[in-house]
DNA sequence: TAAATTAGCTAAATCGATTTAGTAATAAAT
DNA sequence: ATTTATTACTAAATCGATTTAGCTAATTTA
């Protein structure tokens, strides 16, 4: 049972495949195809269950109706939710998306971009790992539409959609200060990532704004591919000593770190918020049912995803020369729960 | 800066594109291409940064090196993790994957399958919604490789990979019984899904096996697209009355329901495990940092994902006629934490 | 009535690869 | 010296669409 092609329909009706193509593309009027034969084509196409071959269309038109998405890890709910929004918005434009998890590894992302290029995707949405500047620059040269999300490279001209990380961390830290916390720690990861860096900057400025000196010992930067051990060590150093703990509050810069961190805090037998207050980036499900539900910085995932797709679509449909780049910075929302005291 | 094609290389070297194709496919020896010219081709290909056009290859060879994945929701960590495993294993075979979230909606899944067919994917991995039997049957007729995961249709001949849901629920329920619980409830969703049905069957048989009658009032079947309200209602009915609660334990059949459920339990001011013991399917992150960490039924996601891809690859590479179908049933692991008492 | 226009359709090129069938030149065998 | 093999390569068909250029017959205009 081979698939029906445009040729099969043409042969079946004794007309040219040109005619069939015109009709199926809804351009019958434009090319003065007779009403009766046009109707017959549609009818036969349905009868024979004709499905256009997108690969063939793609070869001829240069459009695959596919966008490539590179994120750190689709198993991470933050990216999962983002991916879902992107998939949904893309579907509205009759596009589908190839998901690639880079693990924040520039070598992986390089290989993934290459593969997506070979597959002739029409556009890319990328959350670029550090040290992937060169790949991105190359992409830009290739004139293939792309948007960066979550982070960006200040030195590269491109479209990007991010949240106001500085402001978000500033708000979160201020909230902790307002609850009377003074020795506020920050656990984050590789500060070469702009977004992480901005978060820590916002945290520092909030402290300074309230006339509190920044104590570098309270800032724990985890190695890139962190795991439970790294988090445990950081928490130990901040809260471990029995006589007077170093910190009375922690700002987690990602939910992956935060979830592990809270696990450690519980393991140490400490209570949130009594022994230590907690705020985290990203509104993970886990935070809702936590020992004491965690106050978080919520990101507008739907808007990020939707806008990213829309920018890509716009670039695909209206290739501008020279390009004008959109730099979109969205606001976050501090969702107050119980982890900072009442 | 247009992309380099095989023709460009051929022209540049004054040879035929046939020769170039042979060399680039590593079939130089096979077709007796001279060593020197073969070396030159490779050299020039690198210099000109040649990237094969997979779309063109796909059209000619009929292989797109793409597999389509249809799951309920990529934002759901269960499917996110599964998707990640599938992506990873596929990459090993130089395949990539198009993700589609069906929301358990058969109409969506139908449209997604159609789109994937048009895109000529080489194979499908599908977690089929209820009432999608007809689509699956059609796929089977089309001779395109596919595997079902998480659930299957007993009446359709196909490959599938599932876990032993009956056994998993039996073990989980037995564990609750062993902790002295007697009024054990089950909150699940649409029982037309085989996997959900098997879970509830395992639950019932465990009760009967311990000479406890099944009380249908303790089994709450949530509507298909359930949300917080549905869960709240179920929990209310089970635990709401102040005088003597109906249930002293709950088995949640999915983590999505379970996480919401625990939120409700907390909202009612009840304590786990003192007021009610809890076991849930799926080892969600949230369960690790819960008020009292939740005992769960862990599924072998890596094995499911890996095996699914391997079966698809095998079918793509060795199209068998007549087909022989693999029915794989994997074991689960009961991960005991604190939510059932000590 | 001849020229110009329009309606309705088709042939063939094209996208970028793969693959079959073949050719020309040289070397080996008879 | 002729036939046969072998070596090194190429022309052209093909996959399934889109699209340009053009053709014929009927109709309108001059």
């Amino acid at each position: 049972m081979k698939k029906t092609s445009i040729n099969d329909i043409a042969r079946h009706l004794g007309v040219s495949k040109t005619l069939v193509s015109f009709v199926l593309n809804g351009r019958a009027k434009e090319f003065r195809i007779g009403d009766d034969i046009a109707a017959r084509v549609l009818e036969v196409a349905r009868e024979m269950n004709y499905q256009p071959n997108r690969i063939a269309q793609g070869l001829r038109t240069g459009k695959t109706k596919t966008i490539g998405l590179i994120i750190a890890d689709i198993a991470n709910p933050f990216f999962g939710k983002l991916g879902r929004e992107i998939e949904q918005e893309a579907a509205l434009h009759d596009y589908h998306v190839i998901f690639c998890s880079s693990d924040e590894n520039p070598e992986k992302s390089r290989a993934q971009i290459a593969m997506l290029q070979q597959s002739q995707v029409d556009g890319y949405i990328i959350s670029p790992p550090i040290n992937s500047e060169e790949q991105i620059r190359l992409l830009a040269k290739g004139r293939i539409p792309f948007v960066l999300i979550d982070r960006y490279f200040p030195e590269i001209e491109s479209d990007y959609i991010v949240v106001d990380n500085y402001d978000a961390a500033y708000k979160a830290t201020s909230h902790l200060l307002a609850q009377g916390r003074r020795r506020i720690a920050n656990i984050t990861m590789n500060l070469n990532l702009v977004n992480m860096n901005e978060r820590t900057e916002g945290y520092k400025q909030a402290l300074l704004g309230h006339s509190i000196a920044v104590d570098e010992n309270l800032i724990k930067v985890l190695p890139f591919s962190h795991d439970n051990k790294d988090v445990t060590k950081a928490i130990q150093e901040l809260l471990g000593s029995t006589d007077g703990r170093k910190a009375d509050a922690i700002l987690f810069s990602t939910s992956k770190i935060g979830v592990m961190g809270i696990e450690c805090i519980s393991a140490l037998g400490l209570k949130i918020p009594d022994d230590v207050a907690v705020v985290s980036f990203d509104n993970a499900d886990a935070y809702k049912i936590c020992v004491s539900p965690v106050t978080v910085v919520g990101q507008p995932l739907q808007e990020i995803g939707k806008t990213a797709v829309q920018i890509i679509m716009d670039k695909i449909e209206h290739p501008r020369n020279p390009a004008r780049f959109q730099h979109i910075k969205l606001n976050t929302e501090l969702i107050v729960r119980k982890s900072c005291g009442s």
Side-chain angles (χ1 to χ4, degrees), chain A residues 267-292:
Chain A
L268 285 176
L270 300 178
K271 298 285 172 240
I272 298 171
D274 303 341
D275 297 318
V276 59
V278 160
V279 179
S280 173
F281 269 77
D282 305 340
N283 191 14
D285 283 345
Y287 291 145
K288 296 175 189 164
I289 60 172
C290 211
V291 190
S292 87

Side-chain angles (χ1 to χ4, degrees), chain A residues 53 79 85 111-112 118 133 160 230 250-251 303 311 314:
Chain A
N53 183 326
F79 289 112
E85 298 294 343
Q112 286 161 344
Q118 298 184 357
E133 290 87 338
Y160 61 77
D230 301 306
I250 300 178
L251 170 64
E303 201 173 350
I311 290 181
D314 182 55

Side-chain angles (χ1 to χ4, degrees), chain A residues 126-144:
Chain A
I126 304 178
S127 182
I130 51 167
N131 298 325
S132 66
E133 290 87 338
E134 217 35 62
Q135 308 158 25
I136 302 298
R137 236 188 287 268
L138 253 129
L139 251 196
K141 269 196 196 162
R143 316 200 157 292
I144 311 127

Side-chain angles (χ1 to χ4, degrees), chain A residues 157-172:
Chain A
E157 284 222 321
S158 81
D159 297 84
Y160 61 77
I161 303 167
V162 294
V163 295
D164 192 338
N165 285 297
Y166 176 93
D167 174 69
Y170 195 101
K171 283 191 295 196

Side-chain angles (χ1 to χ4, degrees), chain A residues 66-248:
Chain A
T66 303
I67 71 182
L69 173 65
I70 299 181
I71 42 141
D73 181 7
I74 192 63
N76 177 331
F78 172 75
F79 289 112
K81 286 178 197 161
L82 198 48
R84 180 64 207 271
E85 298 294 343
I86 290 170
E87 180 203 329
Q88 212 150 354
E89 182 69 20
L92 293 181
H93 294 85
D94 195 29
Y95 265 68
H96 48 216
V97 9
I98 296 176
F99 285 67
C100 300
S101 301
S102 72
D103 280 321
E104 302 283 11
N105 176 336
E107 179 43 39
K108 272 197 193 174
S109 106
R110 201 202 48 70
Q112 286 161 344
I113 290 178
M115 199 188 196
L116 292 172
Q117 286 203 77
Q118 298 184 357
S119 296
Q120 318 295 121
V121 297
D122 296 342
Y124 302 79
I125 298 178
I126 304 178
S127 182
I130 51 167
N131 298 325
S132 66
E133 290 87 338
E134 217 35 62
Q135 308 158 25
I136 302 298
R137 236 188 287 268
L138 253 129
L139 251 196
K141 269 196 196 162
R143 316 200 157 292
I144 311 127
F146 72 95
V147 201
L148 303 185
I149 53 173
D150 195 43
R151 19 252 164 87
Y152 65 102
F153 296 121
E155 69 275 21
I156 296 182
E157 284 222 321
S158 81
D159 297 84
Y160 61 77
I161 303 167
V162 294
V163 295
D164 192 338
N165 285 297
Y166 176 93
D167 174 69
Y170 195 101
K171 283 191 295 196
T173 309
S174 299
H175 177 71
L176 286 167
L177 289 164
Q179 307 302 312
R181 308 292 164 153
R182 286 297 173 268
R183 285 164 296 130
I184 303 173
N186 175 218
I187 307 187
T188 180
M189 61 177 214
N190 202 310
L191 291 179
N192 292 321
L193 275 176
V194 233
N195 55 346
M196 293 302 149
N197 194 37
E198 285 172 353
R199 289 173 193 184
T200 295
E201 275 311 307
Y203 152 84
K204 286 182 180 174
Q205 287 304 317
L207 292 178
L208 295 175
H210 290 74
S211 310
I212 296 181
V214 171
D215 179 352
E216 291 290 341
N217 292 317
L218 292 182
I219 302 178
K220 300 292 179 188
V221 180
L222 301 190
F224 208 52
S225 63
H226 48 279
D227 63 5
N228 237 309
K229 276 175 205 146
D230 301 306
V231 181
T232 308
K233 183 160 167 275
I235 297 279
Q236 276 282 357
E237 286 173 12
L238 291 172
L239 308 175
S241 74
T242 37
D243 49 324
R245 281 184 281 279
K246 281 189 190 153
D248 62 5

